[in-house]
Amino acid sequence: MKENPRRILTAVLAAMLFAAPGAARKNRLELRYVGLELPGAPATILPADLDVDGRHDLVVVVALTEWHQIGIEESTEMDDVDGLVEVLTIVPSLIDRRELWVFLATDDGYRPLRAPLELDRDVLSLEIGTPELPILALTDDGISVLRLTGAGAVARAELVPILTETPVLARTGAFVPDLGLAHDLDGDGGRDLLLPTNGGAAVYPSRDGGFAAEPAARLVWPARERRTKTSMARTVPLPEVRDIDGDGLSDLLLRHGRGDWGRFHVLLGAGDGRFEAAVGIGEEEEETESDVENDDDSDSESEDDEEKEFIAHFGDIDGDGVAEYVTQSDLADGDAGMRKGMREAKQPPFRYRLFRMGSDLSRAEEPYGEFRAIGYSFDGGGDDDYGDNEIRLPAGFQDLDGDSRQDLVTLTLDFSLMQAVRILATHRISIGLDFHVWCQGDEGRFRQVKGLDLSGKFRLDLDDLRIGQLSQFAGDFDADGKADFVQMGRGRDVSIHRGREGCFYPPEPDLKVRLKEEPRDLKLVQVKDLDGDGLTDLLVIQPQKITEPGVTPPVRLDLYLSGDGE
């Protein structure tokens, strides 16, 4: 099948943006190392104060595959032997297991509980809950809470059911992290529960340190079926929780099944955990119940498709509390020759236009702002498929300098023609990525920030991009309200550049860290607050060599925790 180089090259973009809460500002950056040993790869890593000592512990779900032996006993007859003979047959087998490990925070690191908790396949997800219920587990039967019993050397973890309702994932046996089930949905400051069900979702408000026995609302939205010539998948959307209209109440956004803004729905909050009927926004589709994929070998694109303007972002861009629309159009020359085409594939030009949102959620006819930018930027996903994997790319809009206005980060690529050809065969590439910052000023004006050195070289596996992305503008290491930049892709060396006024990042780093080992892959790095002090930390997952017979290699968690530098 003929490949589209532009689509393939966009698949290597695995980096970007999220912000973390701040604490008292640190004048000096400092990271201290802590290593934790695990018997297998972590499926999720969650910080939470389980023993109520004011420090965040770590809860880790580990996925294991091990060799076991199954013994089959049977009675049979044998020649020249009187009576029956007992025969034992040993059959080797592979067993998949899940374990929940708890590491309690101490003055100098973490102490694991004596024994991990074996997780049945009816445990579908884990996530951070409320202060009273710090870790919630989604199970086949509803919601359980993780509790510690005993103390000291005899302390152990257990799951205690607290709410019964069958979720949409029931009986699948899958473990899906980061579902995002706990939010303040009724505006009272407490974290409520948004439980996905077969019909949509049930809203359980927070009550007396737990959740109400009955849902305040049941929300209904259609599931989508996505079919290709070889497979069919049913997609149940999970909403994003935002305040869209600036009234102080949480609203729900349901994106297109592909994750983009081609067609999405908004459910405005009505208070008390209730929501108004869904309003559809975006382009109408001929098929509303299913997306039928076009598997033709044809790779042609019309000029209209190349020039088409589409919604690239929907949310509060200018910091006034009310959402705006951002559209994007590709300015690349569709008739360019090889040299110019390669240059635009690495540094694509785009035009962005900003539109106000009306009281009925409609988009204004004329934009209030417009700018051009070089480089790729994606807001949550796209409809590009490569092999059997759907490519999910991170957001390009984020408030970098703490002024409540969204800025834009784009990516340009650095590769050779030979690398572009090799990627078709290996699905792997070592490629240079450079980050460009477009800072928003007054009245929707964006300007490119000059004098930055935010480049790196990364080894990427195209077949694994949807599993995880590295967040470069990932958090706040000094608690000043500005996003800092974590510069990786230079071997074991990691640099942290503090964010300055005007979205500026100095070429010289504020802190250099030499990792214990170079990260094997982007998806093995996490940048987030692990110890609950409001300062961002760095986590690298390092697979180790197998020293005993088995299938799953052990893993070391390398934690680089923000210290007490003043």
Side-chain angles (χ1 to χ4, degrees):
M1 185 178 76
K2 185 179 178 182
E3 300 287 355
N4 184 332
R6 182 75 173 268
R7 295 178 63 195
I8 294 173
L9 294 172
T10 62
V12 303
L13 306 179
M16 216 82 49
L17 319 166
F18 288 104
R25 187 185 189 280
K26 300 296 180 182
N27 295 319
R28 178 170 56 88
L29 299 186
E30 182 181 359
L31 297 180
R32 61 187 178 92
Y33 173 80
V34 176
L36 302 177
E37 303 292 336
L38 292 173
T44 189
I45 302 173
L46 300 175
D49 185 5
L50 295 178
D51 53 4
V52 198
D53 65 352
R55 296 178 293 197
H56 274 49
D57 313 303
L58 288 182
V59 177
V60 184
V61 174
V62 177
L64 296 166
T65 301
E66 298 177 332
W67 282 109
H68 283 253
Q69 294 180 342
I70 299 176
I72 302 174
E73 295 186 10
E74 57 183 345
S75 299
T76 186
E77 295 181 352
M78 298 184 64
D79 295 340
D80 301 326
V81 177
D82 294 333
L84 297 177
V85 177
E86 295 294 329
V87 178
L88 175 63
T89 303
I90 303 298
V91 180
S93 63
L94 285 174
I95 303 297
D96 291 327
R97 296 192 299 111
R98 297 171 187 160
E99 294 179 346
L100 187 148
W101 287 68
V102 174
F103 295 89
L104 297 178
T106 64
D107 292 335
D108 56 356
Y110 294 90
R111 172 179 61 84
L113 292 189
R114 183 178 60 175
L117 173 65
E118 292 282 344
L119 290 184
D120 295 331
R121 296 185 68 81
D122 66 350
V123 178
L124 308 169
S125 185
L126 254 67
E127 75 168 75
I128 297 173
T130 68
E132 297 83 6
L133 309 173
I135 294 292
L136 301 176
L138 180 68
T139 71
D140 284 350
D141 299 318
I143 298 293
S144 295
V145 61
L146 180 65
R147 297 194 186 279
L148 296 183
T149 60
V154 298
R156 65 186 183 90
E158 62 178 5
L159 291 177
V160 180
I162 61 170
L163 190 151
T164 301
E165 171 140 4
T166 302
V168 67
L169 290 172
R171 313 296 182 259
T172 63
F175 185 87
V176 184
D178 304 323
L179 288 179
L181 305 181
H183 305 272
D184 181 10
L185 300 174
D186 55 10
D188 65 355
R191 288 169 67 84
D192 311 302
L193 183 67
L194 186 67
L195 183 66
T197 63
N198 279 314
V203 178
Y204 287 87
S206 57
R207 293 287 186 273
D208 302 323
F211 299 107
E214 297 294 331
R218 292 193 177 277
L219 310 177
V220 178
W221 45 72
R224 299 176 60 91
E225 291 184 353
R226 192 173 191 189
R227 293 183 287 113
T228 68
K229 292 182 178 179
T230 59
S231 65
M232 183 177 71
R234 179 170 177 259
T235 301
V236 178
L238 289 175
E240 299 178 24
V241 180
R242 303 182 189 175
D243 182 5
I244 296 301
D245 53 3
D247 64 355
L249 296 176
S250 294
D251 308 309
L252 303 180
L253 275 75
L254 292 169
R255 293 204 193 193
H256 188 282
R258 297 186 300 259
D260 58 26
W261 296 107
R263 174 71 171 173
F264 62 98
H265 292 79
V266 176
L267 289 78
L268 294 178
D272 299 325
R274 296 174 296 105
F275 293 85
E276 297 179 4
V279 177
I281 300 173
E283 299 174 359
E284 294 291 346
E285 297 175 330
E286 294 180 1
E287 295 171 301
T288 58
E289 295 299 324
S290 64
D291 286 334
V292 180
E293 298 298 316
N294 184 1
D295 287 344
D296 292 341
D297 290 342
S298 174
D299 190 37
S300 62
E301 295 180 354
S302 68
E303 293 184 5
D304 290 340
D305 290 336
E306 293 176 357
E307 299 175 359
K308 183 178 179 181
E309 184 177 58
F310 63 92
I311 299 174
H313 183 81
F314 177 72
D316 181 13
I317 289 290
D318 59 4
D320 65 353
V322 179
E324 287 84 29
Y325 292 86
V326 181
T327 64
Q328 182 190 69
S329 55
D330 190 347
L331 301 180
D333 184 358
D335 297 325
M338 174 63 73
R339 180 175 297 180
K340 184 177 180 181
M342 285 290 293
R343 183 172 66 250
E344 290 187 338
K346 293 186 285 187
Q347 300 181 348
F350 291 99
R351 179 178 63 238
Y352 295 85
R353 298 204 299 169
L354 315 176
F355 296 84
R356 300 291 183 192
M357 183 189 74
S359 58
D360 59 351
L361 305 181
S362 63
R363 184 176 73 184
E365 293 185 2
E366 297 296 327
Y368 72 88
E370 178 179 321
F371 68 100
R372 297 189 179 194
I374 301 297
Y376 294 96
S377 69
F378 295 84
D379 191 4
D383 58 355
D384 288 323
D385 285 302
Y386 194 76
D388 295 327
N389 293 311
E390 187 166 315
I391 299 165
R392 293 298 184 192
L393 301 174
F397 285 95
Q398 178 186 347
D399 179 12
L400 297 177
D401 55 0
D403 63 357
S404 299
R405 293 182 291 214
Q406 301 289 299
D407 310 297
L408 176 65
V409 174
T410 63
L411 283 171
T412 58
L413 314 179
D414 183 14
F415 60 90
S416 66
L417 179 60
M418 185 61 67
Q419 286 175 301
V421 173
R422 189 182 302 124
I423 195 175
L424 301 178
T426 65
H427 291 197
R428 291 176 174 84
I429 189 171
S430 180
I431 192 168
L433 301 180
D434 198 2
F435 295 83
H436 306 270
V437 175
W438 313 80
C439 195
Q440 182 179 179
D442 296 332
E443 299 179 357
R445 290 191 292 266
F446 284 75
R447 62 172 181 83
Q448 184 175 9
V449 181
K450 303 293 186 178
L452 303 181
D453 177 18
L454 308 179
S455 63
K457 197 173 186 66
F458 300 94
R459 293 190 301 271
L460 303 178
D461 184 345
L462 298 192
D463 292 333
D464 243 355
L465 280 184
R466 68 173 180 175
I467 296 176
Q469 295 93 14
L470 172 66
S471 296
Q472 298 281 57
F473 297 86
D476 191 352
F477 287 83
D478 57 1
D480 66 349
K482 300 179 179 63
D484 302 321
F485 179 77
V486 182
Q487 188 174 50
M488 305 191 72
R490 299 183 177 183
R492 292 173 55 193
D493 294 328
V494 173
S495 301
I496 298 175
H497 302 249
R498 280 176 164 171
R500 305 300 207 265
E501 294 293 335
C503 312
F504 182 73
Y505 295 87
E508 289 298 318
D510 295 281
L511 177 66
K512 290 184 177 180
V513 179
R514 173 60 65 92
L515 300 180
K516 192 176 183 67
E517 292 183 43
E518 181 181 355
R520 307 282 183 85
D521 204 315
L522 288 176
K523 65 178 178 292
L524 301 178
V525 180
Q526 297 181 20
V527 184
K528 63 183 180 181
D529 182 11
L530 296 168
D531 53 9
D533 63 356
L535 300 173
T536 303
D537 309 303
L538 181 66
L539 167 67
V540 183
I541 302 170
Q542 292 287 7
Q544 304 297 294
K545 293 182 179 179
I546 298 177
T547 57
E548 298 180 359
V551 175
T552 302
V555 166
R556 187 184 69 242
L557 300 183
D558 289 341
L559 281 65
Y560 300 85
L561 304 175
S562 297
D564 297 326
E566 296 294 342

